[in-house]
Amino acid sequence: MARLIEFDEEQAIQKAMEVFWKKGYAATSMRDLTDAMQINSSSLYNTIGDKHRLFVRCIKHYIKMRIDAVEQRYISFASPIQALESFIKDAADIITTEPNSCLCVKATFEIEGDDPEIQAIITSYDNFTHRFLKDLVEKAQSQHQIGQNENADTVADYLVSTFIGWYNSFILHQDRNKILNMADFIIRQLRR
């Protein structure tokens, strides 16, 4: 009788996510994944499935980590403008210090809309970020911390699009100050 290989599935997903995050979906081999996860391929197939199923799990895991971090970090701010400014600065910092860019941005550009399941998962994260930012903008507007002349939906859309642009800019230019200066510019514009 074949022996079952037991492993910590959560830890294995984390390790696989790091491989996908570094190499991208297409460049990651099953060997890369099983080596990182420290399991054999039959254990992977029997518990999680193929490479695509694992990628889906990794994207979901990444998004959950990001959402949990946002919900924990920004709950304690005294004012919505402070939370919004901190979110913008944090985005600039993450974009310019994480060695592998954003897994969702990377996956979006790699799949180019060809994988509806992955696209739907990433879209749900984008929608979370949009709602979170829109809520902060609306609260800041209602407390007269920022101008009320702009539509909160548009401001949230603009910020989400800007963050994606920053990822691209940083990949191309590797200029942290450029991104930090743009973050400061956006904060000044919001305060007008």
Side-chain angles (χ1 to χ4, degrees), residues 80 129-141 152 156:
T129 306
H130 178 270
R131 282 190 307 275
F132 177 79
L133 291 170
K134 180 184 174 189
D135 184 52
L136 287 178
V137 170
E138 287 174 339
K139 286 178 182 174
Q141 287 174 329

Side-chain angles (χ1 to χ4, degrees), residues 20-161:
F20 283 127
W21 198 355
K22 181 178 181 182
K23 297 183 84 169
Y25 179 77
T28 298
S29 69
M30 288 301 286
R31 177 69 182 242
D32 295 330
L33 295 167
T34 55
D35 286 352
M37 297 166 74
Q38 298 176 337
I39 62 173
N40 62 43
S41 57
S42 62
S43 293
L44 174 61
Y45 284 112
N46 290 334
T47 58
I48 296 169
D50 62 9
K51 178 180 167 182
H52 184 266
R53 293 280 22 109
L54 180 58
F55 189 56
V56 167
R57 292 278 303 273
C58 290
I59 292 286
K60 287 180 177 180
H61 177 73
Y62 176 84
I63 289 170
K64 182 181 180 329
M65 286 179 9
R66 290 292 195 191
I67 289 173
D68 289 349
V70 165
E71 289 175 342
Q72 289 175 7
R73 168 113 167 88
Y74 298 101
I75 197 164
S76 62
F77 280 86
S79 77
I81 190 62
Q82 288 175 339
L84 189 58
E85 289 177 357
S86 183
F87 191 94
I88 293 166
K89 288 178 181 179
D90 288 348
D93 188 56
I94 289 168
I95 289 164
T96 59
T97 60
E98 279 189 353
N100 298 317
S101 183
C102 172
L103 181 59
C104 289
V105 171
K106 191 178 245 186
T108 299
F109 285 117
E110 187 172 8
I111 65 167
E112 298 178 352
D114 291 337
D115 188 323
E117 183 177 16
I118 298 293
Q119 195 65 44
I121 295 165
I122 294 170
T123 298
S124 73
Y125 177 57
D126 185 69
N127 291 340
F128 164 82
T129 306
H130 178 270
R131 282 190 307 275
F132 177 79
L133 291 170
K134 180 184 174 189
D135 184 52
L136 287 178
V137 170
E138 287 174 339
K139 286 178 182 174
Q141 287 174 329
S142 71
Q143 295 178 21
H144 304 288
Q145 295 173 340
I146 63 176
Q148 298 178 352
N149 56 335
E150 298 297 338
N151 179 286
D153 256 331
T154 302
V155 174
D157 282 337
Y158 175 78
L159 290 172
V160 170
S161 296

